[in-house]
Amino acid sequence: MTGSEASPSFRLAYVPGVTPTKWVRIWNERLPDVPLTLLQVSPAEAFGLLRDGGADAGFVRLPVDRDDLSAIPLYTETTVVVVPQDHVVAAVDEVTTGDLADEVVLHPLDDTLGWERPPGEPAFERPATTADAIELVAAGIGLLVVPQSLARLHHRKDLTYRPVTDAPESRVALSWPQDATTDLVEDFIGIVRGRTVNSSRGRAKPPEEKKPQQKAKRTGTGTGTGTGKPTARNPRGGSSGGRGAKSGDRPGKPRRRS
């Protein structure tokens, strides 16, 4: 490698709520010489970062513009409503959006659910972020409907959450630029899809070539075995050939006295 060549590396972006720990651990096991850098970005920033080459791939929330980005949907999250511990909703197992009709429901500017019309009564002002909305819920200003991973990310002892059965759901995907599907991107796709190291599309460690088996060497000459072991032609064992132990002797017949 020359001094002008940069060492290989992989930059992975991820939006809040996604936990890439498992995939990063497998990457470090399979490609220990290729450092992986994690970049946490907001959902609004993620696609621009991928298009500008600031990250090689990223965990994002759908939808993805398929004109220039590729995406592999991974999983769908449960949607929950975050409420104070002493709220009436905390006493039930799940709710519907209709149950929230008389509640003030906060709708932050970084909302990830893509509501056509958010449930409940709108707040006087939209919070800038989900983190800000969580603080308002704790202050008793209103409730917040988010993917469950975000409720866990912003967990507080004075808050809890319950599933909302008929709310939109957030889907998480792995995305990368279509014109930058590098070998390292393929490696990471293989890890996320659960391919083994020796998979036909896994590149991290190519399968080992099978060494040709060597034939056992024969000892002795002629038709004998030379091993001293009994054979079909030499049932008594010992060294044998086409003739007896002495030249001219015929096996099985006594020698004639002279």
Side-chain angles (χ1 to χ4, degrees), residues 107-200:
H107 188 211
L109 295 175
D110 64 354
D111 173 73
T112 61
L113 295 175
W115 297 96
E116 290 185 6
R117 183 186 182 282
E121 297 293 333
F124 177 75
E125 187 177 11
R126 292 185 65 180
T129 66
T130 297
D132 293 335
I134 290 288
E135 295 296 326
L136 294 176
V137 175
I141 305 278
L143 310 183
L144 175 65
V145 180
V146 291
Q148 183 170 297
S149 65
L150 292 181
R152 289 175 174 172
L153 177 66
H154 299 288
H155 172 71
R156 292 175 50 124
K157 292 183 179 180
D158 54 347
L159 302 180
T160 187
Y161 57 84
R162 294 292 184 268
V164 183
T165 58
D166 59 345
E169 295 175 320
S170 176
R171 293 192 297 160
V172 174
L174 176 66
S175 183
W176 67 95
Q178 291 180 4
D179 59 356
T181 308
T182 64
D183 288 341
L184 291 179
V185 170
E186 287 286 3
D187 285 334
F188 195 76
I189 292 171
I191 290 172
V192 170
R193 282 184 161 171
R195 296 180 192 143
T196 62
V197 176
N198 293 327
S199 169
S200 60

Side-chain angles (χ1 to χ4, degrees), residues 87-106:
H87 194 278
V88 63
V89 169
V92 299
D93 293 332
E94 59 186 28
V95 296
T96 66
T97 54
D99 295 328
L100 306 177
D102 296 329
E103 302 284 349
V104 172
V105 178
L106 303 166

Side-chain angles (χ1 to χ4, degrees), residues 16-57:
V18 176
T19 305
T21 307
K22 176 183 69 174
W23 298 300
V24 172
R25 174 180 55 79
I26 297 174
W27 175 277
N28 291 332
E29 291 173 354
R30 295 188 184 180
L31 294 97
D33 297 330
V34 182
L36 186 151
T37 302
L38 288 173
L39 307 169
Q40 181 170 321
V41 295
S42 70
E45 297 170 331
F47 300 116
L49 187 69
L50 292 173
R51 291 188 175 100
D52 295 341
D56 299 291

Side-chain angles (χ1 to χ4, degrees), residues 72-83:
I72 300 174
L74 299 177
Y75 57 88
T76 301
E77 291 197 76
T78 299
T79 301
V80 301
V81 57
V82 181
V83 301

